[in-house]
């Protein structure tokens, strides 16, 4: 894939560039229109069925192959609006990472397709990443009151989520955008980590050289405290915090900490996990924003206490307590989490396909109608792990915590 191809010298195999080397605008347009991408099929081989996603990353469509197997796929449009010339570096990074990662619990990139450049699109091709189609995302499933997960099914979801994270972290990749909408589930009950648009390779610090990654990653409600405090030398624990938030959501059915701003998100974290101090998190005082943001003082840790009304299983509460740890050095990693008693006690993790077979309609966050605002401070538990009226809340930006 060429990130910035000059027209004078990048002719495809079936495209002849003018001999004199410098093109006028008509020659340039003809050249682009006839350019042959040898490893990039035309997007017209798929027919779009419906839009299933929209965000800062662009649009995602459910589509079907026109010929051959008639396979269902997801087409993710590569945003090219900001590119004056060449291919977006962020998309190149995402493609490279997806080509590296091949695992049952990571979304599968099939190919990259493009539209033909012509007069109608101002001679600018649109590129699409083509993925195996997954029937649901977790945010869509959790927003539907008729979808009820048993404890064994919840275990299966969380186990697959952690398996995916263990695999990508073993391959030195950080996801950096863990949230329920980026967790896909097939009709067969196979979970896939998706949207690697913010992912990057990471390395251990060597010879005192400190990493300087951006901390402007992870959707606010799932963003760990180290990023909110300006840390730029971080690693896999940022994804494990998101995994803890997603795991809790399996019972609460809505994001557990919904701040409007970064200081407010830190305040919600303190209310749940206790005050952020050097006593519980040695070295936190050296983070850039520690002394610049007014942090809550005197807050006691209440993870288990607040979760108990929702999460009846004591092993589940214990694992959540280990994932939602303020100090990233002490936060449970994917390997330790997978060995936790939660997954090795009755009921054992069980197949999701039987439960999902009851729901013929695909469920995605994008297709979910807005829900009525609720409040999770006061909870009246009902039977079973399914949704309760007091926990079904919208995804608007209200200040809400247990």
């Amino acid at each position: 894939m060429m990130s910035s191809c000059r027209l004078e010298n990048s002719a495809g195999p079936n495209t002849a560039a003018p001999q004199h080397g410098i093109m006028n605008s008509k020659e340039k347009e003809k050249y682009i229109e006839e350019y042959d991408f040898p490893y990039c099929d035309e997007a017209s081989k798929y027919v779009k069925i419906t839009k299933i996603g929209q965000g800062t990353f662009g649009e995602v469509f459910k589509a079907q192959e026109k010929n051959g197997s008639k396979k269902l796929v997801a087409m993710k449009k590569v945003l090219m609006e900001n590119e004056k010339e060449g291919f977006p570096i962020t998309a190149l990074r995402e493609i490279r990472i997806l080509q590296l990662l091949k695992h049952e619990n990571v979304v599968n990139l099939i190919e990259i397709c493009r539209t033909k450049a012509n007069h109608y699109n101002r001679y600018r091709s649109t590129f699409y990443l083509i993925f195996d189609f997954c029937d649901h995302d977790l945010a869509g499933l959790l927003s539907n009151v008729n979808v009820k997960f048993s404890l064994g099914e919840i275990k299966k979801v969380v186990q697959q989520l952690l398996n995916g994270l263990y695999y990508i972290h073993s391959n030195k990749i950080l996801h950096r955008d863990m949230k329920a909408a980026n967790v896909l589930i097939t009709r067969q009950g196979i979970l896939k980590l998706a949207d690697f648009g913010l992912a990057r390779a990471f390395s251990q610090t060597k010879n005192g050289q400190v990493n300087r990654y951006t901390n402007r990653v992870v959707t606010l409600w799932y963003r760990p405290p180290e990023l909110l405090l300006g840390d730029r030398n971080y690693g896999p624990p940022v994804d494990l915090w998101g995994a803890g938030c997603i795991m809790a959501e399996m019972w609460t059915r809505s994001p557990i900490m919904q701040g409007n701003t970064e200081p407010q998100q830190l305040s919600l974290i303190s209310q749940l996990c206790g005050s952020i101090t050097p006593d519980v998190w040695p070295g936190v005082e050296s983070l850039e924003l520690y002394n610049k943001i007014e942090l809550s003082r005197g807050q006691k840790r209440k993870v288990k206490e607040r979760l108990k009304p929702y999460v009846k299983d004591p092993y589940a509460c214990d694992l959540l307590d280990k994932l939602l740890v303020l100090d990233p050095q002490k936060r449970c990693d994917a390997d330790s989490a997978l060995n936790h008693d939660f997954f090795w006690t009755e009921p054992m993790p069980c197949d999701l396909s039987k439960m999902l077979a009851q729901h013929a309609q695909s469920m995605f966050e994008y297709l979910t109608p807005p829900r009525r605002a609720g409040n999770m401070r006061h909870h009246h538990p009902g039977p079973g792990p399914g949704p309760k009226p007091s926990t079904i809340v919208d995804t608007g930006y209200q200040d809400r915590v247990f």
Side-chain angles (χ1 to χ4, degrees), residues 174 213-218 222-242 262 266 269 276 281 283-284 286-290 293 323-331:
L174 300 176
Y213 308 139
T214 176
N215 48 43
R216 308 295 298 166
V217 287
V218 188
Y222 299 84
R223 197 176 301 165
E226 62 268 32
L227 295 187
L228 291 163
L229 290 171
D231 191 6
R232 295 185 63 183
N233 182 28
Y234 54 82
V238 299
D239 290 338
L240 272 302
W241 177 273
E262 291 172 20
L266 275 166
I269 289 170
I276 299 169
W281 181 351
V284 68
S286 65
L287 294 182
E288 195 183 328
L289 301 178
Y290 180 74
I293 292 178
L323 290 168
L324 297 175
V325 167
L326 294 170
D327 182 350
Q329 298 291 320
K330 297 172 191 160
R331 201 172 297 150

Side-chain angles (χ1 to χ4, degrees), residues 173-360:
I173 299 294
L174 300 176
H175 186 278
R176 303 201 301 180
D177 198 15
M178 291 297 293
K179 59 179 176 180
N182 287 342
V183 175
L184 305 182
I185 298 182
T186 70
R187 199 177 293 274
Q188 292 73 39
I190 307 299
L191 178 146
K192 311 271 184 188
L193 296 181
D195 197 349
F196 283 75
L198 289 176
R200 67 156 296 142
F202 70 93
S203 58
Q204 306 301 334
T205 50
K206 296 185 202 99
N207 313 324
Q209 283 269 301
V210 174
N211 294 316
R212 298 282 290 165
Y213 308 139
T214 176
N215 48 43
R216 308 295 298 166
V217 287
V218 188
T219 301
L220 184 60
W221 297 347
Y222 299 84
R223 197 176 301 165
E226 62 268 32
L227 295 187
L228 291 163
L229 290 171
D231 191 6
R232 295 185 63 183
N233 182 28
Y234 54 82
V238 299
D239 290 338
L240 272 302
W241 177 273
C245 293
I246 293 166
M247 179 179 168
E249 221 168 302
M250 293 300 299
W251 285 273
T252 64
R253 308 294 289 230
S254 185
I256 60 170
M257 290 176 280
Q258 302 184 20
N260 293 313
T261 62
E262 291 172 20
Q264 192 181 36
Q265 190 67 21
L266 275 166
S267 171
L268 294 178
I269 289 170
S270 295
Q271 287 171 41
L272 184 64
C273 303
S275 293
I276 299 169
T277 67
D279 290 344
V280 296
W281 181 351
V284 68
E285 66 279 12
S286 65
L287 294 182
E288 195 183 328
L289 301 178
Y290 180 74
N291 293 309
K292 294 181 183 170
I293 292 178
E294 200 174 322
L295 296 167
S296 307
R297 301 285 171 208
Q299 295 276 2
K300 285 196 162 52
R301 186 169 175 82
K302 300 183 186 119
V303 175
K304 287 185 176 178
E305 182 190 323
R306 290 266 176 91
L307 282 165
K308 244 177 216 165
Y310 301 87
V311 186
K312 299 289 187 294
D313 184 74
Y315 292 114
C317 273
D318 187 68
L319 178 53
L320 281 163
D321 198 39
K322 287 178 164 64
L323 290 168
L324 297 175
V325 167
L326 294 170
D327 182 350
Q329 298 291 320
K330 297 172 191 160
R331 201 172 297 150
C332 192
D333 65 11
D335 188 32
S336 305
L338 284 164
N339 285 313
H340 192 278
D341 288 342
F342 176 61
F343 300 110
W344 304 101
T345 49
E346 291 294 338
M348 296 299 282
C350 67
D351 182 53
L352 299 163
S353 59
K354 196 173 168 191
M355 181 274 282
L356 291 170
Q358 299 166 32
H359 305 282

Side-chain angles (χ1 to χ4, degrees), residues 360-380:
Q361 195 88 29
S362 278
M363 286 168 255
F364 294 98
E365 182 184 54
Y366 172 74
L367 303 173
T368 302
R371 288 169 284 163
R372 183 178 55 79
N375 194 306
M376 304 204 321
R377 291 183 196 282
H378 305 290
H379 174 74
H380 306 288

